[in-house]
Every structure is written in C-alpha cells, then in structure tokens.
C-alpha cells in the first residue's frame, strides 16, 4: 500500500526531520528543564535560565546543535561524530541519545537506534519526542503492537506540542496492519491539527478512495494536487478518483500533468498502460 513517503520525502528532507521528532525548542530544552542546573547556586524557586547551565551540558548542547544541522544536510557521518562529542561532554544528555537514535534509523541500524532511544528514555522518561521516535522505529520493523503504546504515551503528555506528527505516524502504522478505521481516525485527528501536511492528506484520500467515499477522497487529494506539493503519487491517485467519479475533464488534466512532469515514474507507466486498478 502506498503511503506517500517515497519521492516526496526525498524532496522534503527538512520537513520529515520535523515530523520525525526534531521539533522546535531542541537547542534549549535541556538548559530550560535540567533540575541539576538549578543547584548551581541558584534559588530553587528561580526560573532556570541559560546562565545556570553547567559547562559540560553547554558544550554538549552546542555539539548537538551542530549534529542536527549536519543531519538535516544529509551529512550523517559528520553528524554522528558531533553526537559522540556531545555525549562525551555530557553522558547524561538525553536529547543527544534521541538524535543518535534518529541517525541510526537513517543508517538502518535498528539495534543501535533502539539502544539509543532506550537510553534517552532512562535519562528523560517524560520526553514525548523520544517516545514518538521509538514508536516509529517499532513500526518500521513491523513491531506494531509494541509501537502503539509509545504513540499513546507521547500523546498523553499534556506538554507535548507535536501531536499532529504522532497521530500521522500512528495512522500510517495502523494502515500497514490493515486497521483502516483506526488509521482514518488517527489521520483525521492529525489533519485537524495540521491540514497542510501532504502525507496526512494523501493517506486520508487513499483510505477513502479504497472505501469508495469518493467525494471526501476528492477533497483531500485536490488540496494536494492544487499546491506545489503535488507529486507523481498524488497526481495518480487524483486521476483515479476523478475517473471513478466520471469527471473526465479533471481526469485528463491530471493525467496530462503526470505525463508531462513525471514521464518516467511508476505512476506514469501505469497511466500509459491504463492500469487503473493496480
């Protein structure tokens, strides 16, 4: 089953990084929340600020920021080297282990990714981003029953600000195991919170198309195809939706875009063959 995470993601690496758990606020998360920093001569009733941050944690945070930058640019080896230095500066910096887990996921080393996420949760059990990432790792390995509690725990955190991404990934995971009703619920909740995410919109359209709810499917897929985020997958699904609804002009318009913009794509080949049911 297509899940709109192939060619589109290769063109949108930075967005996927955000969806994967490197959300806003990473750079100062530890100095703002580390209870140990408050013990550096500060009154415990005072708000912990950057000046309270221990030197080791400050060095670790700077290295982590560099690692994230290299990771976003696809320079995985350099990012991993920066992370090693971050962890050497502060072995108890949970954020560094979380990012290390993401890097090992990109390298398809699931054992080290899992080890990294487990260590991050030992150091910061309440971190919803790490729980999201751990669930995503489980889903990628086909360990769906293990993934769902991690998503639920992330979503249960009242301070978690990235619910759209977790509902989305949970929905994709549910699609993989045929839980279509649950997947639609998860994706719909994600869409309510972030209607601009094309991965969510595409997969909602796909689920509805497969259930022959064509008007609703048309709504979601048209929003993508009328934007700069359209790709071969979305155009092909749009062709099939409009064809089944009998909208020949709209079908031909989308087909023309697909042939012109993605002539060598799998979807373009299916279109040329007339393989609308594959």
């Amino acid at each position: 089953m297509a899940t709109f995470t192939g060619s589109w993601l290769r063109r949108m690496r930075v967005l996927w990084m955000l969806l994967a758990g490197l959300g806003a606020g990473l750079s100062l998360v530890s100095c703002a929340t580390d209870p140990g920093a408050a013990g550096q001569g500060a009154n415990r009733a005072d708000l912990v600020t950057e000046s309270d941050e221990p030197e080791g944690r400050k060095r670790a945070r700077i290295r982590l920021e560099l690692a994230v930058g290299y990771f976003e640019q696809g320079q995985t080896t350099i990012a991993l080297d920066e992370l090693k230095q971050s962890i050497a500066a502060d072995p108890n910096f949970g954020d560094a282990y979380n990012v290390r887990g993401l890097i090992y996921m990109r390298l398809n080393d699931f054992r080290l990714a899992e080890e990294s996420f487990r260590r991050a949760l030992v150091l910061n059990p309440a971190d919803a981003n790490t729980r999201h990432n751990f669930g995503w790792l489980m889903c990628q390995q086909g360990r769906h029953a293990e993934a769902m509690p991690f998503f639920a725990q992330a979503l249960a955190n009242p301070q978690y600000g990235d619910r759209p991404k977790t509902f989305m990934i949970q929905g994709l995971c549910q699609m993989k195991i045929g839980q279509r009703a649950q997947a639609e619920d998860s994706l719909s909740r994600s869409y309510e919170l972030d209607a601009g995410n094309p991965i969510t919109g595409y997969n909602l359209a796909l689920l509805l198309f497969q259930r022959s709810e064509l008007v609703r499917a048309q709504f979601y897929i048209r929003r993508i195809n009328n934007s700069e985020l359209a790709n071969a997958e979305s155009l092909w699904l749009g062709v099939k939706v409009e064809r089944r609804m009998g909208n020949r002009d709209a079908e031909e318009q989308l087909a023309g875009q697909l042939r012109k913009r993605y002539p060598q794509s799998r979807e373009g080949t299916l279109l040329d063959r007339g393989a609308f049911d594959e």
Side-chain angles (χ1 to χ4, degrees), residues 2 7 202 231-237 258 262-272:
S7 60
Y202 173 87
N231 73 353
E233 292 170 86
S234 68
L235 290 168
W236 177 232
L237 180 56
L258 180 54
Y262 306 102
Q264 304 302 318
S265 66
R266 171 183 173 274
E267 291 77 13
T269 300
L270 291 171
L271 175 63
D272 290 339

Side-chain angles (χ1 to χ4, degrees), residues 78-213:
I78 300 175
L80 193 56
D81 186 62
E82 292 291 348
L83 271 179
K84 290 178 181 178
Q85 296 183 64
S86 176
I87 291 169
D90 185 349
N92 294 317
F93 191 19
D95 292 341
Y97 290 97
N98 181 30
V99 176
R100 188 175 76 166
L102 289 172
I103 291 177
Y104 280 126
M105 283 177 68
R106 176 175 287 181
L107 295 173
N108 292 318
D109 191 330
F110 292 153
R111 181 184 66 81
L112 287 177
E114 180 170 344
E115 178 184 294
S116 300
F117 291 140
R118 289 194 185 280
R119 179 60 179 161
L121 287 175
V122 168
L123 294 169
N124 189 2
D127 184 43
N129 272 317
T130 300
R131 293 193 177 277
H132 165 94
N133 293 335
F134 210 159
W136 185 32
L137 174 66
M138 298 292 101
C139 184
Q140 287 190 331
Q141 296 179 84
R143 297 160 64 181
H144 303 97
E146 295 174 74
M148 295 306 165
F150 284 105
F151 297 138
Q153 290 156 5
L155 293 166
N157 187 330
Q159 296 180 325
Y160 184 44
D162 286 323
R163 282 176 171 74
K165 72 177 184 186
T166 299
F167 278 125
M168 181 197 72
I169 295 296
Q170 178 175 265
L172 297 182
C173 193
Q174 289 163 332
M175 286 179 72
K176 287 184 177 181
I177 55 176
Q179 295 181 349
R180 297 192 176 188
Q182 296 91 329
E184 182 183 344
D185 180 67
S186 296
L187 292 169
S188 294
R189 297 180 75 177
S190 177
Y191 197 87
E192 289 171 4
L193 297 169
D194 181 12
N197 187 330
I199 300 173
T200 304
Y202 173 87
N203 284 284
L204 268 173
L206 179 61
L207 281 170
L208 294 166
F209 173 73
Q210 292 170 339
R211 206 163 60 216
S212 296
E213 293 192 34

Side-chain angles (χ1 to χ4, degrees), residues 202 205 209 214 217-218 221-222 225 230-260 262 265 267-268 270-277:
Y202 173 87
F209 173 73
L214 301 178
Q218 181 191 59
I221 203 62
R222 277 190 173 183
N225 287 331
N231 73 353
E233 292 170 86
S234 68
L235 290 168
W236 177 232
L237 180 56
V239 166
K240 293 192 291 184
V241 169
E242 302 294 351
R243 179 182 179 83
R244 192 174 293 180
M245 294 181 73
N247 299 328
R248 298 306 180 199
D249 289 343
E251 176 192 345
E252 287 303 317
Q253 191 268 336
L254 291 169
Q257 286 192 53
L258 180 54
R259 289 190 179 98
K260 181 178 179 180
Y262 306 102
S265 66
E267 291 77 13
L270 291 171
L271 175 63
D272 290 339
R273 288 170 42 208
F276 296 101
D277 297 322

